[in-house]
Amino acid sequence: MAFYTVMIPPPGSGGARDEVEQARLLPETFAWPAFVFGGLWLLGKRLWLATLIYVLLWGALLYAGNRFGLTNGAMLIAHWTIALFLGLEGHNLMARKLARQGWRLADVVEARDLSEAERRYFERALAGETTVSRLAPAAALRSQPTSSVPVIGLFPEAQGR
């Protein structure tokens, strides 16, 4: 089973139902197209900064290969290292791009494939089920004790222990 990260558009892009309908599901798996096609995949996904870094890195590798006489084996290892990085982090690069544009993490869904993940997310979101936010545990810790007696210490129990 794979995990899918659900990103919803920035606030103000419509109502709650519109946000759910515009959600993007990004798989948390190895990105084979990014591994195989590299820079073309980055261009296709409009990851401009990553593409620029990719081109500069390849330019530096070619320069170092010509200037310092790197062997074909070293260039091959560099190529496979860059391809492996893109394969492992490709979907995370897309998620970070969306986060910079104001998209928010709505949910993480476990499913066999994309269609099942979409179905599970839409069922949860449209049924009104609230997903647990990352701030929920911190908010629970900040809750005030119910008694009017001030409590000193780590445990909010005002029972005189």
Side-chain angles (χ1 to χ4, degrees):
M1 296 251 217
F3 288 96
Y4 291 83
T5 302
V6 181
M7 303 286 285
I8 58 174
S13 59
R17 187 169 180 92
D18 291 334
E19 288 179 352
V20 169
E21 289 175 359
Q22 295 174 7
R24 295 204 40 199
L25 280 77
L26 303 173
E28 294 291 328
T29 60
F30 190 81
W32 284 102
F35 178 74
V36 174
F37 298 113
L40 294 175
W41 183 83
L42 291 170
L43 281 174
K45 296 297 181 180
R46 297 183 181 183
L47 297 167
W48 309 122
L49 181 60
T51 304
L52 178 65
I53 292 170
Y54 181 83
V55 168
L56 290 175
L57 183 62
W58 269 108
L61 281 172
L62 291 175
Y63 175 76
N66 290 333
R67 175 85 171 138
F68 302 114
L70 292 178
T71 64
N72 288 338
M75 293 296 283
L76 186 64
I77 290 172
H79 168 73
W80 288 113
T81 303
I82 293 169
L84 183 63
F85 174 78
L86 285 178
L88 291 171
E89 293 295 323
H91 294 300
N92 290 335
L93 291 172
M94 290 175 47
R96 289 181 188 202
K97 174 193 169 193
L98 290 174
R100 280 192 309 271
Q101 293 175 349
W103 288 60
R104 298 163 291 156
L105 176 66
D107 199 358
V108 176
V109 180
E110 181 182 11
R112 288 186 186 95
D113 57 0
L114 180 61
S115 62
E116 183 180 344
E118 287 175 342
R119 183 182 52 79
R120 285 184 179 187
Y121 170 67
F122 291 140
E123 283 176 357
R124 274 192 253 178
L126 296 177
E129 179 181 312
T130 58
T131 58
V132 178
S133 72
R134 292 182 178 185
L135 300 177
L141 290 176
R142 281 186 247 127
S143 66
Q144 296 295 326
T146 56
S147 68
S148 61
V149 179
V151 178
I152 299 174
L154 296 177
F155 303 100
E157 299 170 354
Q159 298 169 345
R161 292 186 195 174

